[in-house]
Amino acid sequence: MRTVLITGATSGIGRACAVSFHKAGYAVLATGRNTAALAELKNELGDNCYTMAFDVCDETAVKHAIESIPDEFKNIDVLVNNAGLALGLEPEYEGNTHDWSEMIDTNIKGLLGMTRLIVPNMLERGQGHIINIGSVAGDAAYAGGAVYCATKAAVKAITDGLRIDLVDTPLRVTLIKPGLVETNFSNIRFHGDRDRASAVYRGIEALTAEDIADTVLYAAQAPAHVQIAEMLILATRQANGSIIIRH
Ligand code: 8X3
């Protein structure tokens, strides 16, 4: 049985990935900060699911959690670096520096920390796949998104760099770049302002978390000689991070 570790598995794309990979026969290591949501996921998936509560930004907690993974889940075949968030949509000159730090810490440093801890074991075993969740936001900046877009551009560079560093190994590295996905993403971005969050998805059929989980699973299940380097998945009435048609 293959094992997948998914960060940010308590909601949205991460949770949908946990459900999809489990259905596809993987043992799932689901991680996140929300212990109640992790317990609910464990309850839903049952066997072959192990949950670990930690914040990817907390280096010590992450290290401790990874060291304490039970033997049957220890050999991670697929790492899905999904944990990430957007905070705020203000012009850069009015942005909140705490929001910036949290995005940079989670989206960049958290992803790097997980990669640094998990990849050496994959290399020792001569197999593994790292799938990073980037964003259309990493392709070009959009109004009010400077720092979020920068973190996702960093995820693209970090993913490409890792692929270069691992090119002479059997390991594969994939970047998945979702566009407009209707999850809790905007609610978090707008600090719980539900009206503002729901307006983001009004008048357009947005992607679902399951749509993205399908692409992550597709990349993971491609034959060993096929490396899906990058996928950009947009809503049909979306052309990029800025051009979105709402009726
Ligand atoms: C999420 C997509 O376009 O809201 O990363 O930034 S977008």
Side-chain angles (χ1 to χ4, degrees), residues 17 23 26 44 49 63 129 171 176 182 185 196 230:
C17 286
K23 212 178 278 171
Y26 284 73
E44 184 180 323
C49 171
K63 200 159 178 288
H129 193 163
L171 273 61
I176 300 288
E182 188 161 2
F185 176 85
R196 205 171 164 203
E230 191 168 316

Side-chain angles (χ1 to χ4, degrees), residues 30-196:
T31 84
R33 288 179 299 180
N34 182 335
T35 47
L38 285 174
E40 200 188 307
L41 179 67
K42 165 72 190 155
N43 195 35
E44 184 180 323
L45 298 187
D47 288 346
N48 300 322
C49 171
Y50 184 77
T51 62
M52 296 191 294
F54 60 77
D55 181 341
V56 291
C57 303
D58 183 341
E59 227 178 287
T60 313
V62 174
K63 200 159 178 288
H64 180 75
I66 302 298
E67 282 167 1
S68 66
I69 296 173
D71 281 348
E72 62 267 39
F73 290 93
K74 258 206 158 75
N75 290 332
I76 294 158
D77 300 291
V78 183
L79 167 64
V80 181
N81 272 319
N82 163 74
L85 79 173
L87 291 171
L89 197 64
E90 296 82 27
E92 195 171 318
Y93 53 85
E94 291 174 355
N96 178 313
T97 56
H98 296 290
D99 285 353
W100 293 353
S101 294
E102 196 173 335
M103 287 188 278
I104 291 166
D105 287 350
T106 310
N107 302 3
I108 304 178
K109 290 154 90 179
L111 178 145
L112 278 171
M114 290 300 299
T115 305
R116 178 67 186 85
L117 281 172
I118 303 293
V119 172
N121 178 263
M122 290 178 164
L123 269 174
E124 259 170 45
R125 295 169 50 236
Q127 67 178 76
H129 193 163
I130 301 91
I131 304 179
N132 290 337
I133 306 300
S135 170
V136 65
D139 285 357
Y142 55 70
V147 176
Y148 176 66
C149 293
T151 66
K152 290 300 185 175
V155 170
K156 153 88 176 148
I158 288 164
T159 309
D160 288 347
L162 183 65
R163 193 179 306 108
I164 294 164
D165 292 341
L166 292 173
V167 67
D168 196 19
T169 78
L171 273 61
R172 299 181 292 174
V173 183
T174 297
L175 178 65
I176 300 288
K177 302 189 295 185
L180 194 72
V181 185
E182 188 161 2
T183 60
N184 209 25
F185 176 85
S186 293
N187 195 34
I188 292 170
R189 164 170 258 173
F190 298 127
H191 298 281
D193 182 339
R194 291 198 173 270
D195 291 343
R196 205 171 164 203

